[in-house]
């Protein structure tokens, strides 16, 4: 028997078709599948935790994704099994533990734009084995940690990735 959750979650799936801001007040966000339309910006504010439900869960970006934290308030992309940030979302105590390939990826498609700073991306890479998958976007990553993912932290299949002061 587990204690009732002392936190709220925001479940998100489907398509983002208007500019959207995720705030720490509504965090953690639990994603099954999310698609950001071309011309649309999803901004993820400092301190937000994004958890992914399962190995098929992902964010596909055709527009813009800005995930910019601060040194004190990082932005986390992690598994629903990761209780170390955002709480025990799957309400199972320590029965499950996060592992590489728990969720799919954050993918940037042709013409998309991505910005990560003071972000942590972990336990992803179910396919194609990377936490961040650049498939034609313009991606900037700084002061971030991409760790414990499938076969690689970042796959730059196509597009441009600028990476500085980060741990992969």
């Amino acid at each position: 028997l587990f204690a009732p959750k002392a936190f709220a979650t925001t479940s998100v799936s489907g398509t983002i078709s208007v500019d959207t801001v995720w705030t720490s007040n509504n965090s953690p966000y639990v994603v099954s599948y999310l698609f950001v339309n071309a011309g649309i910006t999803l901004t993820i504010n400092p301190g937000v935790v994004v958890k992914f439900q399962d190995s098929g869960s992902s964010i596909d970006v055709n527009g813009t994704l800005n995930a910019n934290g601060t040194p004190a308030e990082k932005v986390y992309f992690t598994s629903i099994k990761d209780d170390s940030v955002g709480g025990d979302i799957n309400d199972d105590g320590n029965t499950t533990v996060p592992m590489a390939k728990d969720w799919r990826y954050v993918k940037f498609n042709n013409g998309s734009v991505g910005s990560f700073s003071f972000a942590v991306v972990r336990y992803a890479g179910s396919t194609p084995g990377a936490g961040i998958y650049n498939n034609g976007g313009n991606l900037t990553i700084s002061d971030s940690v991409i760790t414990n993912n499938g076969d690689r932290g970042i796959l730059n299949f196509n597009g441009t990735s600028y990476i500085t002061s980060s741990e992969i």
Side-chain angles (χ1 to χ4, degrees), residues 145-163:
V145 176
I146 294 95
T147 187
N148 293 79
N149 293 292
D151 302 322
R152 59 192 74 82
I154 300 170
L155 173 58
N156 194 85
F157 185 75
N158 196 3
T160 305
S161 294
Y162 301 95
I163 304 167

Side-chain angles (χ1 to χ4, degrees), residues 23 57 65 99 151 161:
T23 64
S57 299
L65 171 64
M99 296 173 45
D151 302 322
S161 294

Side-chain angles (χ1 to χ4, degrees), residues 115-121 132 140-147 154 162-168:
S115 173
F116 291 79
S117 64
F118 298 102
V120 177
V121 179
I132 298 174
T140 303
I141 300 170
S142 67
D143 303 295
S144 295
V145 176
I146 294 95
T147 187
I154 300 170
Y162 301 95
I163 304 167
T164 59
S165 303
S166 295
E167 179 182 329
I168 302 168

Side-chain angles (χ1 to χ4, degrees), residues 38-53:
I40 300 302
T41 299
L42 170 59
T43 301
I44 302 176
N45 282 350
V48 170
V49 176
V50 181
K51 293 195 176 194
F52 293 83
Q53 285 188 331

